[in-house]
Amino acid sequence: MSDNLPDLFAHNRHWAAQVERDRPGFFTSLVKQQTPKYMWIGCSDSRVPANQITGLEPGEVFVHRNVANIVVHSDLNALSAIQFAVERLKVQHIMVVGHYGCSGVQAAMEGARIGIADNWIRHIQDVRDRHRVLLESVPAESRADALCELNVAEQVVNVAVSTVMVDAWSRGQNVSIHGWAFGVHDGLLQDLGITADNTKPLETQYKAAVQRIRYKWTGNGNGNGNGNGNGNGTHNPEVTKEA
C-alpha cells in the first residue's frame, strides 16, 4: 500500500472511472437523497468496512464508528447520529457490530495505558468487571473475543434505553436494534442473538444473550438464556445488566 497521498487521488479517479464504465449513471443516482434502511454502529478499525461486509451499496447503510463500537449516554456524537438515522432517515434496523481481534477490547482486557483513550476504553473495562466471573472461566486466549460479544450486548442495551429509542418506540416507530460480531479472520458476521424492538423485556433479552455467550465460550449453562448469572458490576437503572 502506498504512503504517498497523491496516489490516493489517482486511485480515486481510477475507481470513479471504473464504476462509471461498469454502471453508467451510478453517481447521478447517488446524488438523490439517501434512504437507507440500516444503521451500522461499528468499530473504527479499518478492517471492518460496513458496506463491503454486508454487500450494500453507498447510500444503503448509515454508519457511525468509534473505538470499540461503544454507545454511552454522554456521547452526543453517537446519540446525534442515532437520532438522525431514526428520525430523519427512518432506518428500520440498527446493527451494533463488534469484531473479534478488536484492539480496543484487547486494551481493556489488558488494562493497557494509551492516554486520553483510556477514559473511553474504561467503558469496556466496566463490562469486563461486570462479567469478571464469566470471563475468568473462559480460556485466556479467548477472553478478549468473549468480551467483544459481551460489549456488543451492553451497547445494544445502551442504544435501546437512549431517549432517542424510547421516544421512537413511544410513537410506534418500527425500528429494531441487533447485536452482531464480525470475524476479521473469516469475513463472516455472527448474530449474537440479542435484538431489541420494544416487544420483549430488554432485561430478558440481555440475560439470554449473556447466557448464550457464557455457553459458547465455557460450555457451562444450558445455552437457552434461562440460567442465573454471575455478573458482579453496577447496574443500569433501566435494565439489570447481570447474567
Side-chain angles (χ1 to χ4, degrees):
M1 180 178 294
S2 173
D3 59 0
N4 189 357
L5 290 179
D7 286 348
L8 302 184
F9 289 94
H11 294 325
N12 168 252
R13 289 190 292 271
H14 174 76
W15 170 77
Q18 184 66 50
V19 170
E20 190 60 30
R21 282 194 298 271
D22 294 342
R23 303 174 61 180
F26 175 80
F27 293 108
T28 302
S29 64
L30 200 60
V31 170
K32 299 176 183 178
Q33 175 64 38
Q34 60 174 337
T35 55
K37 294 181 180 179
Y38 311 103
M39 180 182 188
W40 175 287
I41 300 175
C43 183
S44 298
D45 193 304
S46 59
R47 300 169 297 174
V48 192
N51 287 80
Q52 289 175 271
I53 289 170
T54 56
L56 295 173
E57 297 285 359
E60 292 185 327
V61 58
F62 189 70
V63 178
H64 176 79
R65 296 168 68 170
N66 59 46
V67 175
N69 46 273
I70 294 171
V71 178
V72 291
H73 305 305
S74 58
D75 183 4
L76 298 184
N77 185 357
L79 294 178
S80 296
I82 295 169
Q83 184 167 38
F84 192 88
V86 171
E87 297 193 13
R88 177 72 175 179
L89 302 179
K90 306 299 183 184
V91 299
Q92 297 175 20
H93 301 279
I94 299 174
M95 296 89 74
V96 180
V97 188
H99 69 96
Y100 304 115
C102 178
S103 295
V105 171
Q106 188 64 48
M109 280 296 305
E110 298 171 355
R113 292 300 304 272
I114 299 169
I116 191 73
D118 298 343
N119 300 283
W120 184 253
I121 291 171
R122 178 68 244 180
H123 295 297
I124 312 174
Q125 290 176 325
D126 290 343
V127 181
R128 176 202 64 188
D129 294 345
R130 182 171 297 117
H131 298 286
R132 185 176 300 277
V133 173
L134 189 164
L135 290 169
E136 287 177 349
S137 67
V138 175
E141 65 274 13
S142 300
R143 285 175 189 163
D145 287 344
L147 180 56
C148 166
E149 295 185 357
L150 291 167
N151 183 52
V152 168
E154 192 89 5
Q155 306 316 320
V156 167
V157 170
N158 285 346
V159 176
V161 299
S162 69
T163 55
V164 176
M165 293 308 306
V166 170
D167 290 347
W169 285 329
S170 69
R171 61 178 177 262
Q173 190 165 343
N174 181 25
V175 55
S176 303
I177 310 160
H178 314 273
W180 295 354
F182 173 69
V184 174
H185 62 289
D186 61 11
L188 298 178
L189 285 166
Q190 290 190 34
D191 186 344
L192 299 182
I194 179 169
T195 294
D197 59 9
N198 204 37
T199 62
K200 297 179 181 178
L202 186 57
E203 181 175 351
T204 301
Q205 293 281 81
Y206 178 85
K207 285 187 174 182
V210 173
Q211 181 72 354
R212 282 188 290 269
I213 293 168
R214 174 187 293 113
Y215 184 76
K216 173 181 178 179
W217 294 103
T218 70
N220 295 324
N222 56 19
N224 63 10
N226 295 323
N228 294 322
N230 295 319
N232 59 3
T234 57
H235 306 301
N236 186 300
E238 295 90 348
V239 60
T240 305
K241 293 180 180 176
E242 180 176 15

